[in-house]
Amino acid sequence: MEQQQIQEIGERLYDAYRSGTTIAPLTESYSGITLEQAYQAQLYFTERRLAAGEKIIGKKIGVTSKAVQDMLGVYQPDFGQLTDAMIFPNGSTLDLSNLIQPKAEAELAFVLKEDLVGPGITAMDVIRATDYVAPCFEIVDSRIDNWRIKIEDTVADNASCGVFVLGDIKGDPRSIDITMAGMVLDKNGELCCTGVGAAVQGGPANAVAWLANTLGSLGLPFKAGEIILSGSQSRLVEVTDGDELVCTVGGLGSCRVKFSGRSRA
């Protein structure tokens, strides 16, 4: 694939993001696109958002559970960029008209107090470099028609990033067993699903270490102050007008989000 086509993919994704529309799967329109080329397209897509005034504030890790890996036929996580246009405080009501085809998932966020420079980073290095952890919701969104994605589609589409809601509880990962801590997700006051940290690459800190090492091999460090979404501990949850979600992590606390309006798709 020519560099011009990679830039074209990034431009099409940016246009879809700006207009709130979707495009056909890239793996159909650009047959043979590789994972490396998909990350190059993601970079161009992100650069267009930065040129419009957004700032990078962290990273997200996706495809961390075995079920999702089996679905996509890939057996390592992927990652995307978080910007300051994506973050919302705990308890926010999100306007679905700003999203295309959103789905919610509950996970654990890490906020760093020190740089992490891979390769060679371990889960213990991640714990030592973490200022605090917090429960959060990631609202994933896809610029690809009807979520008809393969791994190259979601990677190019910034790992299907939409927005995220960061809980205001600041937990110390040195005093909480984040691997064995259970997670409960309630939807409109009723139990929706449960999870546990160990479902994410054997533990959320393992997922963060994987990304630190992956980025480090490319000469890209994690910076102090960055937010890292470590991967979903829940199933994907459909959301519509009036829905309220609460996720509670054992020994840590809860994060809450409400939804109003109608999504664009």
Side-chain angles (χ1 to χ4, degrees), residues 220-262:
L220 303 172
F222 277 152
K223 294 290 189 179
E226 284 195 319
I227 302 166
I228 315 298
L229 306 188
S230 60
S232 180
Q233 297 184 27
S234 74
R235 64 174 176 83
L236 288 171
V237 178
E238 303 278 351
V239 290
T240 59
D241 181 43
D243 283 342
E244 179 179 29
L245 302 181
V246 179
C247 74
T248 303
V249 178
L252 182 57
S254 300
C255 181
R256 182 183 304 268
V257 60
K258 297 180 181 180
F259 300 89
S260 67
R262 182 176 178 178

Side-chain angles (χ1 to χ4, degrees), residues 19-256:
S19 62
T21 57
T22 59
I23 62 176
L26 303 170
T27 46
E28 295 178 5
S29 303
Y30 301 87
S31 179
I33 182 174
T34 66
L35 193 58
E36 180 181 358
Q37 289 164 343
Y39 274 116
Q40 292 173 3
Q42 179 193 122
L43 179 61
Y44 188 84
F45 178 21
T46 303
E47 287 175 346
R48 293 289 280 117
R49 295 182 66 158
L50 298 183
E54 297 180 40
K55 296 180 180 179
I56 297 291
I57 60 170
K59 307 285 188 293
K60 68 150 285 185
I61 307 170
V63 196
T64 53
S65 72
K66 185 178 185 304
V68 175
Q69 289 180 352
D70 287 344
M71 179 183 73
L72 294 176
V74 64
Y75 298 98
Q76 67 176 28
D78 69 357
F79 66 89
Q81 311 292 328
L82 301 178
T83 78
D84 58 350
M86 300 177 183
I87 186 170
F88 289 84
N90 186 41
S92 291
T93 297
L94 302 183
D95 184 353
L96 290 171
S97 68
N98 294 323
L99 299 165
I100 304 170
Q101 40 188 355
K103 302 176 189 290
E105 52 188 29
E107 52 196 275
L108 196 66
F110 289 68
V111 179
L112 301 181
K113 63 180 179 181
E114 300 173 5
D115 293 357
L116 271 178
V117 183
I121 297 297
T122 67
M124 286 307 301
D125 294 326
V126 171
I127 297 299
R128 283 191 290 266
T130 298
D131 186 11
Y132 63 89
V133 293
C136 72
F137 280 104
E138 182 186 358
I139 315 303
V140 294
D141 201 10
S142 180
R143 272 63 62 175
I144 306 299
D145 291 342
N146 298 315
W147 282 96
R148 291 189 294 122
I149 58 172
K150 295 181 179 179
I151 186 64
E152 294 84 4
D153 295 293
T154 185
V155 163
D157 191 22
N158 197 27
S160 303
C161 279
V163 298
F164 69 100
V165 177
L166 186 64
D168 49 21
I169 294 171
K170 298 180 179 181
D172 184 350
R174 289 159 289 275
S175 61
I176 303 168
D177 187 347
I178 58 175
T179 297
M180 297 307 297
M183 185 278 301
V184 175
L185 195 163
D186 293 316
K187 181 178 182 180
N188 301 328
E190 297 184 357
L191 177 64
C192 177
C193 58
T194 61
V196 66
V200 179
Q201 294 294 108
N206 292 334
V208 177
W210 169 84
L211 184 52
N213 290 325
T214 298
L215 294 178
S217 67
L218 302 173
L220 303 172
F222 277 152
K223 294 290 189 179
E226 284 195 319
I227 302 166
I228 315 298
L229 306 188
S230 60
S232 180
Q233 297 184 27
S234 74
R235 64 174 176 83
L236 288 171
V237 178
E238 303 278 351
V239 290
T240 59
D241 181 43
D243 283 342
E244 179 179 29
L245 302 181
V246 179
C247 74
T248 303
V249 178
L252 182 57
S254 300
C255 181
R256 182 183 304 268

